[in-house]
């Protein structure tokens, strides 16, 4: 499947697919003319990558956890620990944003002109 076909099948832009490949998250074979060709399994792989990105993981973290997620035979408690660490990181960001929002709301109330 060519990059345009994979893009159409997944909703990911061709640019995103090239980025996933550069980051080592997705593999393709090259034709004699240099065109990328992806296996049919790439559709599922891209969907998984998109889910992990939507969950707040960066590409380096995804590269670390993807083998364990993709292959249950090599899955260890490390995966749950790593994902728990990411969950804690996101929770801290949410807490920080909530504090920032509260401060800003206080400023709005303090400087409101009726």
């Amino acid at each position: 499947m060519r990059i345009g076909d994979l893009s159409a099948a997944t909703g990911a832009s061709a640019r995103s697919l090239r980025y996933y490949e550069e980051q080592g998250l997705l593999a393709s074979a090259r034709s004699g003319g240099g065109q990328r060709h992806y296996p049919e399994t790439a559709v599922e792989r891209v969907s998984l990558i998109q889910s992990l990105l939507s969950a707040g993981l960066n590409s380096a973290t995804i590269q670390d956890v993807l083998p364990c997620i993709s292959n249950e035979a090599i899955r260890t408690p490390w995966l749950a620990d790593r994902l728990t660490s990411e969950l804690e990181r996101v929770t801290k960001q949410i807490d920080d944003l909530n504090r920032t929002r509260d401060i800003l709301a206080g400023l709005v109330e303090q400087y409101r002109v009726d």
Side-chain angles (χ1 to χ4, degrees):
M1 148 180 341
R2 292 187 351 205
I3 195 166
D5 300 325
L6 183 57
S7 177
T10 61
S13 68
R15 182 176 181 195
S16 292
L17 296 173
R18 286 189 293 274
Y19 174 77
Y20 300 161
E21 197 169 339
E22 289 169 10
Q23 297 300 306
L25 306 176
L26 185 64
S28 70
R30 295 292 182 123
S31 69
Q35 290 185 331
R36 290 174 167 87
H37 289 275
Y38 298 93
E40 294 297 321
T41 56
V43 173
E44 185 178 328
R45 179 84 166 195
V46 169
S47 177
L48 177 57
I49 292 166
Q50 290 174 320
S51 293
L52 295 169
L53 286 168
S54 294
L57 277 64
N58 63 38
S59 58
T61 301
I62 293 172
Q63 187 176 30
D64 286 346
V65 301
L66 202 52
C68 297
I69 291 173
S70 299
N71 184 350
E72 194 170 332
I74 63 170
R75 202 169 291 165
T76 67
W78 172 87
L79 176 61
D81 292 343
R82 182 67 189 267
L83 293 175
T84 298
S85 293
E86 290 300 313
L87 178 60
E88 290 167 354
R89 179 186 60 77
V90 169
T91 299
K92 182 183 180 320
Q93 288 177 332
I94 291 169
D95 292 344
D96 291 345
L97 283 170
N98 282 329
R99 276 190 291 283
T100 300
R101 184 200 61 224
D102 292 345
I103 292 168
L104 183 57
L107 290 170
V108 167
E109 287 303 313
Q110 182 178 348
Y111 297 110
R112 184 181 306 264
V113 177
D114 292 325

